[in-house]
Amino acid sequence: MKAGANLYVGGGIILLIFLLAVFAPLIAPYDPVTSANLMYAEEPPGAQFWLGTDEQGRDIFSRIAYGARISLFIGLAVQVMNTAIGVSLGLSAGYIGGWWDEIVQGLTNLMLSIPTIVFALALMAILGPGLPSLLIALGMTDWAYSCRISRAQVLTQKSLNYVQSARTMGFGPLHVMFRELLPNISGPLIVVATMGVGSAIMAEASLSFLGLGVVPPNPSWGGMLSSAREQLMVAPWVAIFPGLALFAAVLGFNLLGDGLRDLLDPHGKGRK
């Protein structure tokens, strides 16, 4: 029951955010960038501005809706990059072994010893702010978990009959790794990738909060929180609603990943 509840609640939250992002041009009543009007600065939530306005008079709901596009795009794109790097390294290390396995394990341990946000900050300081730099920085910093899990799964699978049969039939290492092993170890990797999207969204918001992420005035939940710091006492809604949107997105992906983990775990299907 727990697995089903997490799966449905998490999936429902992500579906709502996805619909908000896709239909932002139809749902958002104002342009998130050009609608600034100081006459309406820091207006509280009401009939005209559903979630109020910020210090420049921009509609917060519209900026949250368009910010959902940026957050989902970055979260999904970054996780695709992280998964591709981690799985490729983990598959090859577990299957080939030897000196290559030692190098990959050393790199993995190094990455795990450095906080993701610290490494990303260092890369962003070199690359500069902006969306392309953000994708590169985050896409190269959080692949260690996928690598470690895929390597461990390969080590338990590569001696099984289906792998030995493929090798006996003359298939090369690439075929065995990506056509035989990968489909059979995909369950744990799907869970890690799902939860990783939420982590990537949080990392993007953190960098944008520090001024190294999405360049203003483009709407970003982290950037909105950063600009709201000075208005917390007089206009708390400027920070509350972007914060709730960020919380909901991260919670949704974590619940979805938790539900998928219980669903794909063959030993957990009998859990109540």
Side-chain angles (χ1 to χ4, degrees):
M1 188 65 184
K2 176 186 175 183
N6 288 342
L7 193 64
Y8 292 132
V9 173
I13 293 173
I14 299 308
L15 178 61
L16 288 176
I17 296 175
F18 180 79
L19 293 175
L20 181 67
V22 171
F23 295 105
L26 301 177
I27 299 174
Y30 302 94
D31 187 277
V33 177
T34 62
S35 62
N37 188 338
L38 294 178
M39 292 180 59
Y40 298 107
E42 298 179 354
E43 285 283 329
Q48 183 177 2
F49 303 104
W50 300 339
L51 302 183
T53 62
D54 61 12
E55 71 282 358
Q56 297 185 32
R58 297 172 298 193
D59 181 55
I60 292 176
F61 175 76
S62 300
R63 289 181 63 78
I64 288 177
Y66 277 90
R69 288 184 157 192
I70 294 177
S71 293
L72 288 178
F73 170 74
I74 291 176
L76 294 171
V78 165
Q79 196 52 41
V80 167
M81 295 172 64
N82 282 326
T83 302
I85 295 172
V87 171
S88 298
L89 290 174
L91 278 174
S92 60
Y95 185 76
I96 297 173
W99 62 270
W100 176 243
D101 185 27
E102 293 181 3
I103 292 177
V104 172
Q105 285 194 76
L107 287 173
T108 303
N109 292 332
L110 177 63
M111 294 300 299
L112 290 173
S113 67
I114 303 174
T116 299
I117 192 66
V118 173
F119 192 25
L121 279 171
L123 289 177
M124 289 298 294
I126 297 173
L127 299 173
L131 187 57
S133 301
L134 187 63
L135 291 175
I136 294 173
L138 294 179
M140 296 177 60
T141 57
D142 203 20
W143 50 264
Y145 294 103
S146 296
C147 179
R148 176 164 287 184
I149 290 175
S150 58
R151 174 185 176 273
Q153 292 292 316
V154 168
L155 291 176
T156 62
Q157 295 276 329
K158 70 177 185 179
S159 60
L160 297 183
N161 290 335
Y162 76 94
V163 177
Q164 299 301 324
S165 298
R167 297 172 67 176
T168 302
M169 294 173 64
F171 291 113
L174 289 178
H175 177 95
V176 175
M177 286 188 291
F178 291 98
R179 297 294 296 274
E180 304 293 338
L181 283 166
L182 183 57
N184 286 281
I185 65 171
S186 59
L189 296 175
I190 292 174
V191 175
V192 173
T194 302
M195 292 185 171
V197 175
S199 299
I201 291 175
M202 180 62 76
E204 178 274 322
S206 300
L207 291 173
S208 295
F209 182 84
L210 297 173
L212 292 174
V214 178
V215 179
N218 295 314
S220 165
W221 293 344
M224 293 172 69
L225 288 172
S226 178
S227 63
R229 287 176 294 179
E230 298 179 359
Q231 286 78 40
L232 282 176
M233 301 303 296
V234 295
W237 57 86
V238 179
I240 289 174
F241 294 116
L244 287 176
L246 179 61
F247 171 78
V250 176
L251 176 65
F253 279 106
N254 284 341
L255 288 176
L256 182 61
D258 191 51
L260 288 173
R261 180 183 59 196
D262 293 339
L263 183 66
L264 296 173
D265 181 7
H267 302 292
K269 293 182 178 180
R271 295 174 184 168
K272 300 293 184 180

